[in-house]
Amino acid sequence: MMKENYLLLKEKVRMASDKFEKNKSVKIIAVSKTYSSLTIENAYNLGIQCFGENKVQELIEKMESINLPIEWHFIGHLQKNKVKFISGKVSLIHSVDSIEIAREIDKRAKNINCNQNILLQVNVAKEESKFGFEIKEIFTAIDEIQQLTNINIVGLMTIAPNYADKEEARPIFRALKNLADLICTKGYENIEMKWLSMGMSGDFDIAIEEGANIIRVGSAIFGERSYSQKEE
């Protein structure tokens, strides 16, 4: 079933990509939280190379138990006291939602002499239950964070509300793309808007049509989760 799911997902990604830009490339992050190392290894053997985890402890356990050249991403809310466990170990941290967390990532990266790529999480919809900078806060945050020497801002991330009609998420994704375009016009020397991480299993096609080039999908690959596992 996972093979069929993945083939269907790739076709849907291709179709949505072509609506935005012919042959646009989209990175698929398989959200592997709660799934076993064996399941991840089976997914890797299908051609999935990038996996995202929401919990630091679960991520580290899987990184240590799986002997494959996986590109690991951290996509969940990151607590300050957990930063030291993942700095320099993941390809990308999607969920930098405060200046304080950015400073801690920078400090930990400096301690091990590396640079950590990050995305700034933007709470476009201003949901109280979601983390992230509001759009009006983002330039103040960038002004602070760009002074840090061991992290690289390489894009933005957002999570759309869980709308019954996925079309309602379109303005959320469009707003993030517009924000990224605006940031590009400001001439920051060490800020890159390479990645727009937006869209999950229920709305990834809409996100791609609005400019996403990273999607975070779990159930679209692994199958439906139980109720307690629904959020990706």
Side-chain angles (χ1 to χ4, degrees):
M1 179 60 74
M2 184 163 48
K3 180 179 180 179
E4 288 78 7
N5 288 345
Y6 182 49
L7 290 174
L8 179 59
L9 172 64
K10 288 201 298 182
E11 177 60 17
K12 289 181 177 179
V13 167
R14 184 196 64 77
M15 292 173 63
S17 299
D18 284 351
K19 288 184 179 180
F20 180 81
E21 179 182 289
K22 195 70 175 174
N23 297 321
K24 172 190 171 185
S25 177
V26 175
K27 185 185 289 285
I28 296 172
I29 308 297
V31 180
S32 50
K33 70 173 186 178
T34 76
Y35 289 107
S36 69
S37 295
L38 178 59
T39 299
I40 294 171
E41 290 169 359
N42 289 338
Y44 181 88
N45 289 333
L46 291 177
I48 302 170
Q49 297 180 326
C50 305
F51 292 82
E53 289 286 336
N54 297 63
K55 304 293 184 182
V56 169
Q57 182 176 348
E58 186 175 353
L59 170 63
I60 296 303
E61 289 173 353
K62 288 175 178 176
M63 291 179 76
E64 292 175 348
S65 67
I66 300 173
N67 186 28
L68 290 170
I70 285 172
E71 181 180 312
W72 292 101
H73 292 237
F74 186 77
I75 62 176
H77 176 60
L78 183 57
Q79 296 174 309
K80 185 177 178 180
N81 64 348
K82 299 292 180 66
V83 170
K84 61 186 176 183
F85 298 111
I86 66 169
S87 285
K89 294 182 179 179
V90 295
S91 176
L92 186 60
I93 299 174
H94 290 228
S95 48
V96 176
D97 55 20
S98 72
I99 294 171
E100 181 183 28
I101 287 295
R103 287 175 177 156
E104 184 68 15
I105 295 170
D106 179 70
K107 182 179 81 173
R108 297 296 179 176
K110 194 171 299 180
N111 287 346
I112 57 175
N113 194 30
C114 77
N115 278 59
Q116 177 66 59
N117 289 336
I118 67 167
L119 305 180
L120 300 182
Q121 182 172 350
V122 185
N123 188 354
V124 177
K126 300 181 182 180
E127 288 187 282
E128 291 186 4
S129 61
K130 296 288 196 318
F131 296 97
F133 299 99
E134 291 188 18
I135 288 178
K136 65 182 180 181
E137 300 171 331
I138 205 71
F139 289 102
T140 299
I142 287 174
D143 288 341
E144 291 271 349
I145 297 171
Q146 72 167 341
Q147 298 177 48
L148 304 175
T149 58
N150 286 71
I151 59 176
N152 305 317
I153 300 175
V154 294
L156 305 175
M157 183 271 261
T158 198
I159 303 171
N162 187 24
Y163 294 118
D165 180 359
K166 65 182 179 181
E167 281 291 334
E168 293 186 63
R170 194 178 290 277
I172 303 297
F173 300 139
R174 186 173 299 161
L176 194 74
K177 176 63 167 64
N178 290 341
L179 178 60
D181 290 344
L182 181 59
I183 291 170
C184 288
T185 69
K186 299 299 184 180
Y188 294 111
E189 291 186 3
N190 56 342
I191 306 294
E192 186 179 9
M193 289 292 107
K194 180 179 181 180
W195 299 111
L196 278 184
S197 174
M198 55 188 191
M200 300 192 294
S201 289
D203 55 19
F204 68 84
D205 52 340
I206 301 296
I208 293 169
E209 289 173 14
E210 294 298 333
N213 57 5
I214 293 182
I215 59 171
R216 311 177 304 274
V217 294
S219 58
I221 294 172
F222 299 109
E224 283 297 324
R225 299 171 185 266
S226 66
Y227 181 80
S228 62
Q229 297 172 324
K230 281 288 187 181
E231 187 176 344
E232 295 171 359

